[in-house]
Amino acid sequence: MIKIGIVDDHHLFSNGLAAMLSQMGHVEVAGVFGDGEEFIDFLKTGGLVDLVLLDITMPKIGGLEVLEILRKLNPNVKAIMLSMHNDGNYIVQSVRNGALGYLLKNTDEEELKLAIQMVSEGKKYFNKETTELLLNNMAVEGEVAKKLSPRETEILKVIAEGLTTKEIAEKLFISTRTVETHRVNMLKKLNVKNSAELIKKATELKLI
């Protein structure tokens, strides 16, 4: 038997999913949870699952954060992301955080069953659509990383430390005008509007 947890704040969807999975002879639904916090509390109090179906966007603790917690709390729990987000960045982040599969919520019953079977065996499952999104996003990340010069990458890391323009200039022995020029160039290259967005995007792209 494969013990499955379902973590999704859309109760109509998750309850319908639980009912469907309960019809599978080799599956036991261990619990349906409204957000990541409920699921983590379940595991911390002795609850057991072999596999979890995780939504990404949820209150309190979202799916990506749940994956990070699982790696420390119980790395044996396998995860499939089941999301409405057909965004390559979400797929890349899910994989980096430990998910073995990623499906969109419009997937059909047979594909979901196949994904559960493969992931429960320790294999990965991504269909044609999610594979294309994953590869395209990784290609874009690679191109962005190539666009940043060594000096820009150096300044980016210092910006992430929270230093002011003057402090960055003093630390790197360059002028404040040079710092600002590099900052503006990086904003354009990463297509963001300010330093906060720059740091966030750079973190997502694993540039820092």
Side-chain angles (χ1 to χ4, degrees), residues 29-45:
V29 177
V32 177
F33 310 92
D35 59 64
E37 186 175 76
E38 285 184 23
F39 176 60
I40 295 302
D41 286 344
F42 169 78
L43 295 180
K44 286 182 176 179
T45 54

Side-chain angles (χ1 to χ4, degrees), residues 2 40-41 56 68 71 75 77 88 97 108 119 135 153 174 182:
I2 304 170
I40 295 302
D41 286 344
I56 288 182
E68 293 182 327
R71 284 194 295 195
V77 176
N97 287 11
D108 60 42
V119 170
L135 294 177
T153 301
I174 55 179
H182 284 306

Side-chain angles (χ1 to χ4, degrees), residues 7-186:
V7 187
D8 195 302
D9 60 328
H10 295 94
H11 301 295
L12 189 62
F13 174 82
S14 56
N15 289 331
L17 184 59
M20 184 196 79
L21 294 178
S22 295
Q23 301 303 311
M24 295 172 62
H26 62 294
V27 166
E28 175 189 344
V29 177
V32 177
F33 310 92
D35 59 64
E37 186 175 76
E38 285 184 23
F39 176 60
I40 295 302
D41 286 344
F42 169 78
L43 295 180
K44 286 182 176 179
T45 54
L48 297 174
V49 298
D50 301 305
L51 185 151
V52 59
L53 299 175
L54 272 175
D55 192 10
I56 288 182
T57 307
M58 295 181 289
K60 297 181 180 178
I61 300 178
L64 294 175
E65 189 177 351
V66 169
L67 289 174
E68 293 182 327
I69 295 172
L70 275 180
R71 284 194 295 195
K72 300 175 183 177
L73 182 63
N74 191 341
N76 293 322
V77 176
K78 300 174 177 67
I80 297 174
M81 309 309 286
L82 193 55
S83 172
M84 62 182 289
H85 295 295
N86 60 342
D87 184 321
N89 184 53
Y90 279 117
I91 302 173
V92 170
Q93 286 299 113
S94 296
V95 173
R96 285 176 174 158
N97 287 11
L100 293 182
Y102 192 108
L103 292 172
L104 299 178
K105 284 188 174 180
N106 62 2
T107 190
D108 60 42
E109 183 176 336
E110 290 307 310
E111 183 169 55
L112 178 59
K113 289 179 179 179
L114 176 60
I116 288 172
Q117 187 60 48
M118 289 185 67
V119 170
S120 69
E121 294 171 359
K123 301 172 184 176
K124 295 181 180 180
Y125 186 88
F126 300 90
N127 62 20
K128 182 179 179 181
E129 182 179 2
T130 53
T131 296
E132 287 181 357
L133 289 167
L134 174 66
L135 294 177
N136 288 340
N137 195 82
M138 291 179 71
V140 169
E141 288 185 11
E143 288 304 310
V144 171
K146 289 177 185 177
K147 288 179 182 178
L148 295 185
S149 69
R151 175 61 93 178
E152 285 171 344
T153 301
E154 183 180 27
I155 291 174
L156 179 60
K157 292 177 180 177
V158 183
I159 290 174
E161 294 174 6
L163 273 64
T164 65
T165 297
K166 183 179 178 182
E167 289 170 335
I168 294 171
E170 291 174 350
K171 182 171 183 176
L172 301 180
F173 303 104
I174 55 179
S175 70
T176 55
R177 177 174 293 182
T178 299
V179 173
E180 282 305 311
T181 298
H182 284 306
R183 189 198 304 268
V184 169
N185 287 339
M186 286 189 287

